[in-house]
Structures are given as structure tokens and as C-alpha cells.
Amino acid sequence: MAARQGVIARYAARLPITPATPRITLFEGETPSIPAPRLCAEMGLGSLHLKFEGLNPTGSFKDRGMVVAVARALEDGSAALVCASTGNTSASAAAYGARFGLRTLVVIPSGRISVGKLVQAQVHGAEILAIDGNFDVALSAVRSLAAELPVTLVNSVNPHRIEGQKTAAFEIVDDLGDAPEVVAIPVGNAGNITAYWRGFREYFAEGLCSRLPRMIGAQAAGAAPLVRGRPVADPDTVATAIRIGNPASWQGAIDARDQSEGAILAVDDADILVAQRDLAMVEGVFCEPASAASLAVLRAAVRDRLVAPGTAALCVLTGNGLKDLAVASEGLRAPVLVASDAASIAAALGLR
Ligand code: AN7
């Protein structure tokens, strides 16, 4: 295995960088596609891998696109990064801003991002404002702000974000030897499904994979504008990362769905939470609720026969489970208090 390089150095020839673009990195990307044999058997699939993006430096896939956006911002002499966020974009922007010397300005929907993500942005020194409105309102506000001021918008409407994120598709093919037949992926603002589809198409066009995957997108039932075919004014879901009612990359998601002969389906919060727990209990991988929507949608697609037995499938797990402990801890039993001697511990465990 070659030494870690990070997204820009590893895929420089396939990214929108110039000789003057600084080759920055926090060693993002190069995340594993982890085999999930027990969930694979449960669904009767041919293979199942989990692309665990929670292992990126700030714990989500956002770092792949952020490094490219920040490198270009530095090249352009920008003074600051600005974003709206459901949490992960702001955590990533704050880390890269801190490391590479740019102010980071964040607008979040008040009370609706996980504490872990908010604290990440805070510890990295971002300047954070909360609005009494949802992500869609916050994004609209920062788009207007960035149009008027010499700051760089680092939401996925920044095309360099999508370019960086497409490298996850390259890695899947590089690691597995070909594209999966089906890729299940959560969809919020729809930048990531757009990026994966672009990445697979670029590799396919160069003959680096023999097939294109069908893209199966997952939206939370209470925040499913792409499934309903119109924006949702008041999106709601336990998966706060994808609590988005009017995705910026709407057309990108529709193109990925239609060109790949895939689907975008709604999954209930209850099914998302069961999927999160199953991934942790059965495969040893702890992802955040939005990420678990990919397993929930794959299960639904298998059940509804959209995905046939024997298929080679992959779920994109976009963020780390440690991001949102409040949701994950609901319904868990507290540790039993015992005396500190071995006999008491053994007795409490039923070992004698
Ligand atoms: C864990 O951080 O929109 O469809 O502001 O954090 O590309 O938006 C996060 C989105 C999936 C959806 N999984 O990806 C933000 C933000 C996780 C996420 C998505 C997000 P897109």
C-alpha cells in the first residue's frame, strides 16, 4: 500500500487544479470499502461493501470536496470561507480554514444541528451564526452574501466541492476492481449523488470500470423533495444532516437517477434508526443516522425487487456515528453499577 497522499495529490490529473493551486491536505479520502458479509447474506446480495466516509479527518465525506474548494480559494486570494450547514460542511470548512489560515463563517439552522458537529466548528475557531429558519433559508442567505463580498462560498453549489467528492467513486473502483452494480447513498442537498455519478462516468469513459452502477438515493420521508417532485417547505427528520427541503443539486440527482436507471426513495426515520443500529451491532461500523439511510433504502429496494438477488452492492456511509451521540444513545440501557471485585463483575455478567 502506497503512503497516504490525500485527495489532491492522488487524483490531481482528474481535478480542476492548476500549477498554481496549493497542494494542501489533511489526508482526507482513501477511506475503506468494508465488506459487510452478514447484511449481505440477510439481503441475498452477491456482495455488499460499506464505503466508510466517517473515517475522514473531520468525520464525513465533506473533506474530499472541501480540500479542493479551499485550495482554489487560497489560489484566488480569498479572505474567508462561508457556508450554510446542517453540520458536517461547517465542521469540515472550519478545520480546513483553521489549518490553512482562512476565516470561516458559518450559518446554521438554530437548534437543528447535532452538538458534536457544532462543537467541531467551534473548536476549530469558526465564527458561527444561527438563524431561526431551516437549512434552505440559511443557504439562500449565504449565497446572497457571497455574491456581494470577497468570500468563498464552500457549499456544494461551489463546483470544486463536487469535483473533490467524485474521488470517492474513483477509490471504490480502484479498491474493488470494478464499479458495484448498485450504489445506495443518502441525498440531502444532492451534491454527493451528483459527484459519485460523475466519478463513475469519468472512469467508465476511460475504460477503468466495465460497468456503471445504478444509483439508489435515500431521502428521509419527512424531507423527500426529490421523491415528491417538489420542494418541501418544512422538512423534518431525525437525520438532521439531510433535513433539507429544496436541494441545490436537484437536477444532478435526477440525472444520476435517470441516467443510471436507479431510483430515489423515501425511508422512514424508524427504518433509518434500525439500520444505524444493525450496522453497528452486526458489522461493527458506527455511522450517523443520515448515513444509515443508505442501508435502509437498499433494504427497501431489495424488498420491492428493484434490486435482484446476487447483486454487487455498496452503501455509502457518509458520516461517523460519533457525530450525533444524542440520537444514537436513545433507548440504550445504562451500564449496570456493580462492586469492583471480580466475583461481583462475573456474577453480574452471568459468568458463574
Ligand atoms: C452525513 O453539512 O448538507 O446530498 O450542510 O452530512 O451532498 O447534501 C450535509 C449533508 C449525507 C447529504 N450524509 O449529502 C451539510 C450538509 C451526511 C451529511 C448528506 C449530508 P448531500
Side-chain angles (χ1 to χ4, degrees), residues 29-32 50-57 59-64 165 168 171 192 196 316-320:
E30 300 173 303
T31 59
L50 310 172
K51 179 67 169 167
F52 190 28
E53 290 288 277
L55 296 179
N56 275 292
S60 87
F61 70 97
K62 304 287 182 181
D63 297 335
R64 293 177 183 278
Q165 284 170 211
E171 288 176 12
N192 213 27
Y196 271 74
V316 181
L317 302 185
T318 45
N320 198 295

Side-chain angles (χ1 to χ4, degrees), residues 124-331:
H124 290 305
E127 297 160 66
I128 305 166
L129 299 172
I131 60 155
D132 184 16
N134 61 34
F135 169 84
D136 305 286
V137 176
L139 179 59
S140 162
V142 297
R143 287 179 90 154
S144 305
L145 185 80
E148 292 166 17
L149 297 171
V151 296
T152 303
L153 184 63
V154 294
N155 285 103
S156 57
V157 293
N158 178 328
H160 303 132
R161 279 275 316 276
I162 309 264
E163 286 291 308
Q165 284 170 211
K166 76 185 178 184
T167 61
F170 299 161
E171 288 176 12
I172 289 167
V173 175
D174 290 345
D175 289 347
L176 303 183
D178 206 343
E181 293 172 285
V182 161
V183 169
I185 184 169
V187 179
N189 214 22
N192 213 27
I193 190 173
T194 302
Y196 271 74
W197 181 235
R198 185 181 301 172
F200 286 121
R201 274 184 301 141
E202 287 185 12
Y203 257 32
F204 184 72
E206 292 183 41
L208 293 169
C209 49
S210 75
R211 61 193 178 203
L212 286 167
R214 293 168 63 210
M215 302 297 298
I216 311 278
Q219 298 213 283
L226 292 162
V227 180
R228 314 264 174 255
R230 60 190 143 71
V232 172
D234 196 8
D236 198 21
T237 168
V238 70
T240 53
I242 52 172
R243 190 172 171 275
I244 294 174
N246 191 11
S249 295
W250 186 294
Q251 195 56 45
I254 298 301
D255 288 348
R257 180 194 69 187
D258 294 347
Q259 293 170 10
S260 77
E261 295 169 31
I264 301 177
L265 307 174
V267 288
D268 291 335
D269 280 3
D271 293 335
I272 289 174
L273 294 175
V274 166
Q276 183 190 29
R277 200 60 63 84
D278 287 349
L279 283 160
M281 297 266 300
V282 173
E283 300 294 357
V285 176
F286 184 25
C287 67
E288 65 172 286
S291 310
S294 65
L295 173 60
V297 84
L298 185 59
R299 281 174 161 165
V302 168
R303 185 195 60 219
D304 296 347
R305 307 202 180 275
L306 282 171
V307 170
T311 297
L314 177 142
C315 289
V316 181
L317 302 185
T318 45
N320 198 295
L322 296 171
K323 292 269 189 179
D324 193 348
L325 294 177
V327 167
S329 64
E330 273 169 39

